[in-house]
Amino acid sequence: MEVTATALGPWPGEDPVEAARIIRGELGSPHLPFLAELPGRGVGSDALGRTASLLVELAVDVQPYGWRLVDRPGKDLRRAVSALSTDINVLADVAGGEDTPTGELKIQLLGPLSLAAGLHLHNGERALIDFGARRDIAASLAAGVGSYLSRVSSAVPGAKLVVQLDEPDIAAVLAGTIPTSSGYRTLRAVAGQEATESWQLVIEALRAAGAVEIVIAVPAVEAPIERIVTAGADGVAVPLRPLTSRQWEQLAAAVEADKRIWAGAVDANGGTLPKVAEAVESVWRPWHQMGLPASSLGSVRVTPAGGLAGLTPVAATGVLGRLTQVADGVNQRAHG
């Protein structure tokens, strides 16, 4: 295996054609292009609305406080469904016009715990508060991913589908620090075992639908690396800079268990991109310190530390170029 590059999904602007062309142009083989999320288009193009549109037998709409589970679908859900259909059709057109067949392609989904934290019940409280609601959301998501993957497969025949499950709220979910709707108290912590089981349910559904690689993406703070491995994911996506030595030990154990590390080595939100050598060192130095062999660096995919939606399209394109340079640099380290 060789070190490759990808980005996390969120992309600036409102033009899915431009996004698809840039991403597929910058992240050609052996790198991992992805289906962009364009939250700048508004309601339904955000990660929460996009994933909620895949739920089976659970409908949503938008209230002033956010997305809510409702009895029957409304215009907000239709907008989300329509936006995703547009993006898949655009992907088919752009990929269909290319000379080379697509190798791998990545799609992103919000994971079941962050989905439950973001969706609200009829009374305005977060669905996370209710065990039955959490269970139903995980089961509904697992039931809905198959049709999504089959639609993407039809759009890009022959592509191997990689899935990134995003859990941006996982630390707060497991620590019990997410506020109630009133803001006066916090929701009770979800047990780690329940998180593992929810992930297992969705991962099994994704595998059954043909996903070749499934990675769970989490922030560095309290990243539940061991739970992600236990749940059967193929890897962990995490920003590197804030990681502690203890977390690096957990990542090293994951590598030794043949898991992939998606290394958030390029922090793009400060306005200036890190130098290639610095980003390469941010991967290589702790790798070497953990006693991991250079030959195992092939398990790495290089990513930005976060989404790129807050940048301009030009700056985001520059990040993709830098990622491939960093991947090349880490490859050179791997091959000594």
Side-chain angles (χ1 to χ4, degrees), residues 241 265-276 278-279 304-305 308 310-312 314-316 318-320 322-323 325-326:
R241 187 187 292 239
V266 175
D267 193 339
N269 288 324
T272 56
L273 287 173
K275 292 185 171 65
V276 174
E278 287 173 9
L308 304 178
L311 304 179
T312 64
V314 170
V319 173
L320 299 189
R322 182 55 46 94
L323 289 168
Q325 292 170 338
V326 173

Side-chain angles (χ1 to χ4, degrees), residues 50-135:
R50 197 172 176 93
T51 304
S53 78
L54 304 173
L55 296 174
V56 172
E57 295 181 2
L58 289 178
V60 293
D61 71 4
V62 175
Q63 295 296 309
Y65 49 75
W67 287 93
R68 176 184 68 162
L69 292 162
V70 290
D71 294 330
R72 59 183 60 86
K75 69 179 191 314
D76 302 313
L77 182 57
R78 286 195 294 273
R79 277 182 71 177
V81 169
S82 172
L84 184 55
S85 291
T86 297
D87 291 350
I88 293 172
N89 292 338
V90 163
L91 175 68
D93 291 343
V94 173
E98 294 169 351
D99 297 332
T100 53
T102 299
E104 291 182 319
L105 173 71
K106 177 169 73 75
I107 56 177
Q108 304 81 225
L109 295 167
L110 205 57
L113 281 308
S114 296
L115 196 55
L119 292 174
H120 296 260
L121 302 171
H122 287 275
N123 62 6
E125 197 50 85
R126 294 174 190 273
L128 192 71
I129 199 170
D130 183 280
F131 171 75
R134 295 195 301 269
R135 184 188 56 208

Side-chain angles (χ1 to χ4, degrees), residues 1-4 30 280 284 287 292-300 326-336:
M1 288 203 301
E2 60 186 316
V3 181
T4 55
V280 170
W284 168 248
W287 202 268
L292 290 166
S295 59
S296 67
L297 280 166
S299 64
V300 170
V326 173
D328 289 344
V330 179
N331 260 326
Q332 288 167 13
R333 285 286 192 161
H335 298 132

